[in-house]
Structures are given as C-alpha cells and as structure tokens.
Amino acid sequence: MDTRRKKIGIMGGTFDPIHVGHLILGEKTYEQLGLDKIWFMPAGNPPHKRNRAGRATDEQRVAMVERAISGNPHFELSLIEMHDHGLSYTYHTLENLRKQNPDTDYYFIIGADSLYSFTTWMKPERICAACTIVVATRDHTPVKELSEEMERLTQLYHGHFVRLDTMNIDISSQLLRQWHQEGKSLRYYVPDAVADYINEHHIYDITEGAPKTNG
C-alpha cells in the first residue's frame, strides 16, 4: 500500500494571457520540490482584478492555458475557481482542497511582488495553514530582502515559505496585452499555439480594425 503523501503545486492567476514565465516557473517548482503535478488554476473572478473590460473571457483564458500546457505530462488544468457565484479567495480554495484530499500537500506558487502584498490578502493566516508558499524572485528583488520578508511573514502567520531557486523572468501579461495592441509580435513570449489563438480570436484588439501580430 502506497502511503506516500502526494505533492501538488498550484499556479494560480488570471493568465490573461498565460506566458512562458508562468510555464518556466511551474516547471522549476516541479523540479526543485519534487512535486507530482503542477495545477494551473485560472481565477474566475479574482477579487483584486474585478474590472475585466477589454480582457479575454473566462472561456478564452481557459483555452489559452489548455494550449500552453498541452504536451507536458505533469502540468494539469484545474477549473476549481472557474465559477460565477462569487469571488475567488485563495484561503477558501485551499481549505476545500485539503478537506477533499487529506492525503495531499499543496504548494502555492507566488511571485515576489505578491509576497510583499501578502498581508493584504483575505485570511493570510489560513492560507499559511493550508499550504506551503513557494516564492519566486521577480522584478530583481534582492535575495536578502526577500528572505527577510519571508522570515517576517513566517513568524507573523506561522507559515512555511520556500524560495524558488530560479532565474528572474520579468514578463507581465499586462505588457503582452499592450504589445499586441501596438501590433508587436508575442512570439517566444507565449507558446505559438497561444499566439495563434490570440490572433484568431482577436483577443486584446482595441478595435475591430486594430493591427494584428503575426505571432
């Protein structure tokens, strides 16, 4: 009988659009922590991003994630937060997962920018109780400064924070949307299948006559 606990990494976000930074972060977390799977979990109605005008629809964001992770056997799509009956809060999602899967340990992946705003999240102490928080370096944050903030939050919320040892990839979905609207190529910043989907469905175009990229 296999009594080993499962280890699942969770990469949450709006993924509007998903890009190579998300994928590299997921792969490195899987590798460094010896996880079983990485779940890409699009947020259906994130409380900090309520104004979604001019963005991809829920269905389009899911479709882009599906295309981006296709072919990677340890990447999976999770639709747990894709609902229309209220806001998506991380603590609630994690607590439900732990109840449903008591044999699984969860590793919630965030960027350094999110670490510094962690105290503003809903019920941060309950998030810490439900998972290990994996912190990726972003925006060239000094390692010493990052480690000090992780230690402060560990003491404040009695949580477990792990720093991911990976390269700093400064790509933002907001910048990619802007580039697309300016007619710039997204090639190599998003998987080809995602770039093709964005162009095919005219996602992020300012108007019907907005310039289209070739990838």
Side-chain angles (χ1 to χ4, degrees), residues 19-38:
H19 53 67
V20 295
H22 296 127
L23 301 174
I24 293 171
L25 184 53
E27 184 72 8
K28 289 302 179 183
T29 303
Y30 169 83
E31 182 181 76
Q32 181 174 321
L33 301 182
L35 305 185
D36 296 294
K37 295 284 184 179
I38 297 289

Side-chain angles (χ1 to χ4, degrees), residues 66-206:
E66 287 179 321
R67 284 160 174 74
I69 68 176
S70 175
N72 189 323
H74 47 262
F75 281 0
E76 291 185 0
L77 170 67
S78 171
L79 299 179
I80 292 174
E81 291 198 338
M82 296 298 293
H83 54 70
D84 57 5
H85 53 269
L87 300 175
S88 299
Y89 288 111
T90 300
Y91 82 91
H92 189 257
T93 297
L94 289 168
E95 289 179 347
N96 283 342
L97 284 172
R98 281 173 58 89
K99 289 177 183 177
Q100 296 166 10
N101 307 290
D103 64 340
T104 301
D105 294 326
Y106 292 98
Y107 296 76
F108 192 76
I109 306 163
I110 65 173
D113 51 343
S114 295
L115 180 75
Y116 288 103
S117 64
F118 188 70
T119 56
T120 68
W121 290 30
M122 181 67 73
K123 310 290 186 183
E125 71 284 354
R126 289 170 67 173
I127 296 174
C128 288
C131 70
T132 295
I133 298 177
V134 182
V135 184
T137 302
R138 190 173 181 182
D139 299 331
H140 305 286
T141 304
V143 171
K144 182 177 183 295
E145 181 181 317
L146 192 68
S147 297
E148 289 174 350
E149 181 64 10
M150 290 168 60
E151 178 61 27
R152 185 182 77 85
L153 294 173
T154 295
Q155 296 181 9
L156 183 62
Y157 297 120
H158 307 288
H160 185 205
F161 292 79
V162 175
R163 184 173 62 83
L164 188 65
D165 184 20
T166 187
M167 67 181 66
N168 187 6
I169 304 172
D170 286 338
I171 305 174
S172 74
S173 295
Q174 179 180 0
L175 179 61
L176 295 182
R177 292 194 301 270
Q178 177 184 329
W179 283 358
H180 180 81
Q181 290 169 354
E182 294 171 353
K184 297 177 181 177
S185 173
L186 304 187
R187 188 173 297 281
Y188 308 122
Y189 289 91
V190 302
D192 288 346
V194 173
D196 291 343
Y197 184 85
I198 291 171
N199 289 327
E200 178 184 351
H201 294 272
H202 309 305
I203 306 174
Y204 313 125
D205 290 358
I206 299 176

